[in-house]
Amino acid sequence: MSISLVSNAYLDEASSKIRSKPVPWEGYQRADLITSEELVLIKKVDKQPKAKVEQTLFSDLQTYAFLYFRLLKKLQRVDTMQCLLVLIADALSGLSMSLVGYMMPHIQHQTMRKESQSSSGLRKLIRISLFCLFSEPSIPRMNLYNSKLLKSSRYSTAGIVAFYFFCRDPNTINSPASTPLPVQYLKPFLDTLASLVQGSAPNKRDVAVQCLESLLSRRDCRQAIWSVPGIIAGYIDILKQRPGPQMTYQVALCFWLLSFEQNVAEELDKKYDVIPLLIDVAQGAVKEKVIRVALCFWLLSFEQNVAEELDKKYDVIPLLIDVAQGAVKEKVIRVVVATFRNLVTKAPAANLPAMLAAKLLPFVKNLYARKWQDEDILEDIEYLRDELNTNFQSLTTYDEYTSELSSGYLSWSPVHESDEFWKENASKLNDDDCKQLQILLRLLNDSTDPLVLAVAVQDIGQYVKHTDRGKKLVEKYNGKARVMELMTHEDSEVRYRALVAVQQLVSQPWTAV
């Protein structure tokens, strides 16, 4: 299986142009900048058919690994370094993973040897890579260690460096026991990727996000990336700009990989308010990309505080139910059901009422009747069905109503228009310092959903009609003005229900508190 470093149309086009340009290798040899042996070796791979180049590399990997790095150290003309970087990228992308596993130790040995000397090692490759490929060939010889030069880079072969880090320990890429990456090389590379991710050029962003996506497969890289705020801020900015499906998928995948880290899962939303953004992405995403965002919610739901607060803050349960109901692929439903199981396991009191109010139980019963390839999904469905059933059977009608209030997801269930229900239960809204009444009024003030507003204002009318202190308490908590305001709402159903509620507020006799 061959390996792709970075997939970017602009990068491919620029690389193709660089391959077509002649490099004066013979002139370098006559000027004693390269040896005759190096000239023979480089001519075997420069401007040669792909099959021939792969055969040459296969027969002498170590020699060519050393050759490329020696020439990068010796030659500083920009178009020549561009050619060498393209040759390195072609070599890596044309090899199988097993051959790369053989080649990378030799590259590491060459780049890390004498790393105290400024003219050797990966530090030079990073600086060259981040400048050369898209610079103008007319630029004269220059000091590639100059920080201003690094900042002036336009585009990069950063994929080569990302590939180096990704394959540095190919047998233990995602293991906590992997050989730690050298911070002195990784940090400047990540800082440069941060500047590219936050930039306005789409090709820079695309290359940077793909490099970061590769690096995030390693745990030590995840922590290093999390420590660079500019990268996360760049991700957020990209999502806010509503990019195309591919970029949306890549950024969501990066968040998913980051969320494997405990400290990231605990702090991600607190620092960057990312959950509403991911919800927005999920609502607008192409269906096959939704799985990545759903995975983010699943991974977040392992944290106790997230499980307790996720639905209260972001009303995510109805959204995830909609995602599962519209899903074609089994894996999407699998992740959503697993997320719900986490929410019930870790915070049942916070989530079961909202799940019942959002009509999750009938959907879960429907899922249980299906046939599944994955046995684990059936186990999660059974667990949810049993927990929801137990909770549902223990609820009184009033419990169902308060669960619906707590979820914030009101609909025309029978209790809202039942005089019998309100005769028995209206006064219960005054319990615990009018806690349920205040929740109802908060929905009336905060919601923008016409259905929720219509049901809530209907309930205010029923409450006033069936409790002596109702009118005084609604006015005490500033609900009367809002009810009257809704008589001019753009939705006809909301206007009608508000008018009926105002009639109750005006016609019912006042009773002293």
Side-chain angles (χ1 to χ4, degrees), residues 222-223 226 258-259 261-269:
R222 291 200 288 267
Q223 291 294 344
W226 175 246
L258 277 167
S259 69
E261 300 304 303
Q262 178 76 27
N263 61 314
V264 176
E266 291 174 354
E267 300 171 18
L268 184 60
D269 190 63

Side-chain angles (χ1 to χ4, degrees), residues 4 27 33 41 84 241 319 342 394 509 512:
S4 176
L33 294 175
L41 287 171
L84 287 167
Q241 293 180 19
L319 174 64
N342 278 356
S394 66

